[in-house]
């Protein structure tokens, strides 16, 4: 009986030396520009806020009991649905056994109490020492989440390493580098009013230049993904500036943003929106570009004689599916983040037009739209770059031959 089979697919031969040299030069140029941006926007004299009380400190303890009592209504959130302010409301208190300092009773926010505060919960309080004419005081701060957070993080690290192995470790290192960049460059630079677009682009480009090679290795395929990611970041920056300016988004949609403005007196929260959009887009763009580069290389391995047009068409078939799933994934993620705002808006029964016009919802819509635009541009750009490079690589001897 006659049998026929095809040799197993082999990876394309290495790119020509000149092509590899050009890619290396381009990547180095991108990293140099990113480093220059970081140096130019490196924060100096970062402002800080003080509580105004010398010696105020955080203490921790365990809740031993809770109770409700009648008190005067004074807060805006205590208004009735019709807008009127009741004379009195039920206010919760918690008795806390402070570590090494006996028991104290502190008022707690109603939302915290109704959310499940009870005996045995570990909490954090702010202690204000006694001053002239004022006794020592304790104020509710938050739950003490250190132990559960540590457990979740340890489990996350273990699963990532067990499943991802070397690449899992590399991804965790990259995650740490990204966190360091945000903590030591992005946040302080925004507080000192550096250009938000330059801050976001330079940090994101530099971090991804380290992370992507650390995780996926030194190769032409990784370089294509990196350059595609950088192109996507540039598109994100342009689209974000146009959308944020056109929508007049000032970043004042929550209490934290307002507090930052009050404490610093100068921070442009529009810049925070821009930088946040760039940082949020980074992971999405990298996921797409890695997939597209890998798809083109795999197609060439299976069809060694495929040219640019066939490689691009096959890569885009993968890219369209990936793009569609990523776009609605991004939208749902932002919708989840905005859910508390949606609940509040629904309670006030606002019209749909007014709902979409609100700052909080408009900000999430802009992020989703900008992310979708960047992804829609990044997929064909990365696919075209990968196809052009792979098409230039020589066909390995004997690849695609049929033996009998």
């Amino acid at each position: 009986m006659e049998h026929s089979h095809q040799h197993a697919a082999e990876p394309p031969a290495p790119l020509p030396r000149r092509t590899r040299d050009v890619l290396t030069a381009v990547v180095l140029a991108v990293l140099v520009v990113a480093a220059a941006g970081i140096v130019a926007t490196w924060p100096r004299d970062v402002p800080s806020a003080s509580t105004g009380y010398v010696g105020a400190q955080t203490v921790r303890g365990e809740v031993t009991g809770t109770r409700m009592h009648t008190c005067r209504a004074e807060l805006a959130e205590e208004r009735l649905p019709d807008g009127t302010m009741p004379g009195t409301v039920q206010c919760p208190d918690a008795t806390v056994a402070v570590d090494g300092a006996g028991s104290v009773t502190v008022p707690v926010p109603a939302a915290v109490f109704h959310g499940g505060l009870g005996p045995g919960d570990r909490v954090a309080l702010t202690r204000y020492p006694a001053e002239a004419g004022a006794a020592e005081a304790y104020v509710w701060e938050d739950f003490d989440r250190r132990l559960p957070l540590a457990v979740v993080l340890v489990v996350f690290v273990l699963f990532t390493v067990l499943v991802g192995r070397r690449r899992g470790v590399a991804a965790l290192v990259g995650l740490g580098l990204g966190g360091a960049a945000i903590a030591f460059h992005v946040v302080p630079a925004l507080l000192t009013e550096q250009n938000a677009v330059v801050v976001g682009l330079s940090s994101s480009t530099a971090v991804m230049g380290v992370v992507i090679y650390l995780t996926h290795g030194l190769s032409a395929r990784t370089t294509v993904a990196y350059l595609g990611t950088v192109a996507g970041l540039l598109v994100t920056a342009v689209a974000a500036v146009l959308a944020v300016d056109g929508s007049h988004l000032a970043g004042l949609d929550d209490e934290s943003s307002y507090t930052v403005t009050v404490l610093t007196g100068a921070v442009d929260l529009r810049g925070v929106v821009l930088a946040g959009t760039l940082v949020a887009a980074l992971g999405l763009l990298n996921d797409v570009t890695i997939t597209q580069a890998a798809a083109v290389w795999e197609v060439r391995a299976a069809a060694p004689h495929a040219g640019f047009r066939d490689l691009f068409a096959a890569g885009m078939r993968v890219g369209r599916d990936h793009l569609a799933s990523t776009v609605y994934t991004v939208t749902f993620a932002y919708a989840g983040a905005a859910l508390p705002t949606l609940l509040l808006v629904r309670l006030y029964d606002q019209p749909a037009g007014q709902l979409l016009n609100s700052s909080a919802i408009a900000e999430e819509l802009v992020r989703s739209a900008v992310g979708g635009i960047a992804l829609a541009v990044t997929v064909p750009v990365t696919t075209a770059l990968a196809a052009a490079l792979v098409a230039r690589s020589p066909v390995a001897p004997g690849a695609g031959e049929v033996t009998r």
Side-chain angles (χ1 to χ4, degrees):
M1 181 179 292
E2 182 177 279
H3 298 277
S4 66
H5 66 275
Q6 191 170 3
H7 286 303
E10 299 180 4
L15 297 176
R17 176 64 180 270
R18 185 176 179 181
T19 303
R20 284 182 282 140
D21 290 343
V22 170
L23 286 176
T24 301
V26 172
V27 170
L28 289 176
V30 169
L31 291 175
V32 167
V33 172
I38 292 175
V39 171
T41 58
W42 190 259
R44 299 172 181 84
D45 300 323
V46 181
S48 61
S50 172
T51 60
Y53 291 88
V54 177
Q57 63 179 147
T58 296
V59 297
R60 305 178 190 279
E62 182 177 312
V63 175
T64 58
T66 59
R67 70 183 182 91
M68 301 291 289
H69 65 95
T70 302
C71 61
R72 289 184 56 190
E74 298 177 343
L75 302 177
E77 55 264 31
E78 294 170 343
R79 290 183 180 275
L80 297 174
D82 62 4
T84 60
M85 180 70 77
T88 60
V89 293
Q90 291 297 303
C91 298
D93 286 340
T95 301
V96 180
V98 179
D99 297 342
S103 292
V104 297
T105 299
V106 296
V108 299
V112 172
F113 176 79
H114 293 300
L117 179 67
D121 288 335
R122 294 286 301 176
V123 298
L125 308 176
T126 300
R127 173 184 172 274
Y128 296 98
E131 295 182 336
E136 179 183 65
Y138 290 83
V139 176
W140 169 266
E141 186 175 309
D142 209 338
F143 286 96
D144 182 4
R145 302 183 178 91
R146 293 176 301 174
L147 179 59
L149 285 178
V151 171
V152 170
L153 290 175
V154 168
V155 172
F156 162 67
V157 169
L158 287 176
F159 272 84
T160 301
V161 173
L162 288 174
V163 176
R165 299 185 182 180
R166 183 190 65 81
R167 295 198 177 203
V169 173
L172 291 173
V173 173
L175 186 61
L177 291 174
I182 293 173
F184 296 107
H185 178 229
V186 176
V187 171
L190 293 175
L191 288 174
T192 54
E193 296 189 274
Q194 302 293 331
N195 185 290
V197 174
V198 176
V199 169
L201 276 177
S202 58
S203 257
S204 298
T205 301
V207 168
M208 188 51 60
V210 176
V211 172
I212 197 168
Y213 287 107
L214 183 66
T215 305
H216 300 283
L218 294 169
S219 68
R221 180 165 59 183
T222 305
T223 298
V224 168
Y226 176 58
L227 295 178
T229 302
V230 173
L233 285 172
L234 292 173
V235 173
T236 302
V238 173
V241 169
L242 293 175
V244 170
D245 286 349
S247 303
H248 299 286
L249 295 177
L252 290 169
D253 57 284
D254 59 34
E255 184 179 351
S256 297
S257 301
Y258 177 77
T259 303
V260 168
T261 303
V262 171
L263 292 176
T264 62
V267 172
D268 179 12
L269 293 179
R270 167 186 165 277
V272 176
V273 177
L274 291 172
T277 302
L278 283 167
V279 172
L282 185 60
L284 296 170
L285 293 173
N286 179 55
D287 176 44
V288 168
T289 56
I290 286 290
T291 300
Q292 289 309 109
V296 173
W297 253 264
E298 290 300 321
V299 170
R300 179 58 185 271
H305 297 282
F308 172 82
R309 182 175 297 180
D310 292 334
L311 292 170
F312 180 77
M316 284 302 298
R317 284 194 290 272
V318 176
R320 291 187 188 97
D321 287 339
H322 197 189
L323 174 64
S325 63
T326 304
V327 165
Y328 64 67
T329 298
V330 173
T331 304
F332 288 151
Y334 288 144
L339 200 54
T341 302
L342 293 173
L343 292 175
L344 183 61
V345 171
R346 179 64 182 84
L347 286 173
Y348 284 107
D349 196 23
Q350 294 181 352
Q354 188 173 346
L355 166 65
L356 297 178
N357 191 61
S358 65
S359 176
I361 301 301
E363 190 172 314
E364 301 302 336
L365 287 175
V366 164
R367 283 202 184 107
S368 299
V370 168
I373 293 169
L375 288 172
V377 173
T378 302
V379 167
V381 167
T382 306
T383 306
L385 179 57
L389 291 175
V390 173
R392 290 174 58 86
S393 64
V395 179
E401 290 183 359
V402 176
T403 61
R404 296 182 181 273

